Amino acid sequence: MGQRAGLYGAVAAGGFRRYATYGTATVAGVFTNTVFGFILAYTFIALWDERPGLGGYDQSQALAFIWVSQALLAAGALIGGGFQEEFQERVRTGDIAVDLYRPADLQMWWLASDLGRAGFQLLGRGVVPVVVGGLAFDLALPADPLRWLLFLVAVALALLVSFALRYLLGLAAFWLMDGAGINLMATVVSIFCSGMLLPLTVFPGGFGEFVRALPWAAMLQVPLDVLLGKGAGAGSAAGALAFQAAWAVALLGLGRLVQSAATRKVVVQGG
């Protein structure tokens, strides 16, 4: 057990170091997130001037929602940039056979690597946009350390849910061979259903309840509502974390089942 934990720790550290070498890409990502943050912030200011209290947020909370979400986009790979494209390519070329021969669990190996990537993205691309947003706007960020601790737990669970969904995308390549189409569809769903463009609490009635019950809500909407002290559709911070944990367990479990079926169907194209 200790050796396995050390192995996965080394894989996670390797994932962190791998992305840390892409200095230019990181700077470009920080710039993009910051610019996009300003665009959304001014859009939200105009919208909240017309509709104060929209979605249950005041304007400073809505602005905090925008800027903290920019810190989570790359870490959660909400618009791509995770491991799934590489995984799908390894399936297509047959290199996945090498992964299956490793003395490590396939799902845990990729989870450790992706958490290392997410850790770097959270620090490398997440901190600066929030600082810039805090200097430029009045953000309703909490002063309570407990709230920040709960937020970090929610972020960790969000990363698990994100990985679990993208692992299923990766495994789909065993049947589809080309994951470009399903990746594009997944990105569109993620943008709309995570709260990336608008908080999901803005959507009314049954449709709003439906999108807030989906796993994509656990990736962005729930962590931000935990930070802002909102119910996150689950009644309390504890309920919100339980909502995330339930989706993480369900999706990781589904990934195990699909992985078992996929590894019985290993097809090496070209030989």
Side-chain angles (χ1 to χ4, degrees), residues 35 42 54 76 85 88-89 96 101 123 139 150 222 243 248 260:
V35 170
Y42 285 116
L54 181 64
E85 293 91 349
Q88 290 163 345
E89 180 64 15
I96 194 68
Y101 275 111
L123 295 173
L139 307 185
L150 291 171
V222 172
F243 170 79
S260 178

Side-chain angles (χ1 to χ4, degrees), residues 25-37 125 128-129:
T26 299
V27 172
V30 169
F31 177 79
T32 300
N33 285 131
T34 303
V35 170
F36 193 47
R125 287 184 59 173
V128 172

Side-chain angles (χ1 to χ4, degrees), residues 9-23 113 115-117 119-120:
V11 172
F16 187 99
R17 289 194 300 270
R18 176 183 177 185
Y19 281 83
T21 61
Y22 301 136
S113 177
L115 289 178
R117 176 206 61 81
F120 173 76

Side-chain angles (χ1 to χ4, degrees), residues 50-205:
E50 292 295 322
R51 296 284 302 277
L54 181 64
Y57 306 98
D58 60 31
Q59 189 174 95
S60 61
Q61 289 174 328
L63 290 171
F65 190 103
I66 284 298
W67 286 101
V68 179
S69 71
Q70 294 305 304
L72 300 180
L73 293 185
L78 292 171
I79 51 177
F83 74 95
Q84 63 273 20
E85 293 91 349
E86 179 184 356
F87 187 99
Q88 290 163 345
E89 180 64 15
R90 292 182 71 81
V91 172
R92 190 189 67 81
T93 61
D95 290 340
I96 194 68
V98 177
D99 299 341
L100 294 173
Y101 275 111
R102 289 193 184 113
D105 178 76
L106 185 67
Q107 187 185 50
M108 287 298 297
W109 177 280
W110 286 97
L111 173 58
S113 177
D114 194 59
L115 289 178
R117 176 206 61 81
F120 173 76
Q121 298 287 29
L122 196 60
L123 295 173
R125 287 184 59 173
V127 174
V128 172
V130 174
V131 171
V132 171
L135 292 173
F137 301 96
D138 177 24
L139 307 185
L141 296 175
D144 182 4
L146 177 60
R147 185 85 61 78
W148 284 101
L149 178 61
L150 291 171
F151 171 67
L152 292 177
V153 175
V155 169
L157 290 170
L159 295 178
L160 285 177
V161 173
S162 173
F163 166 82
L165 281 169
R166 289 178 290 115
Y167 190 64
L168 290 171
L169 292 179
L171 291 171
F174 280 95
W175 289 270
L176 300 176
M177 293 301 173
D178 183 1
I182 194 172
N183 289 344
L184 178 60
M185 288 189 294
T187 298
V188 172
V189 173
S190 176
I191 290 172
F192 186 78
C193 295
S194 67
M196 186 188 309
L197 295 181
L198 278 173
L200 299 181
T201 53
V202 169
F203 301 123

Side-chain angles (χ1 to χ4, degrees), residues 1-9 108:
M1 181 67 71
Q3 289 180 337
R4 286 294 178 90
L7 171 63
Y8 296 132
M108 287 298 297

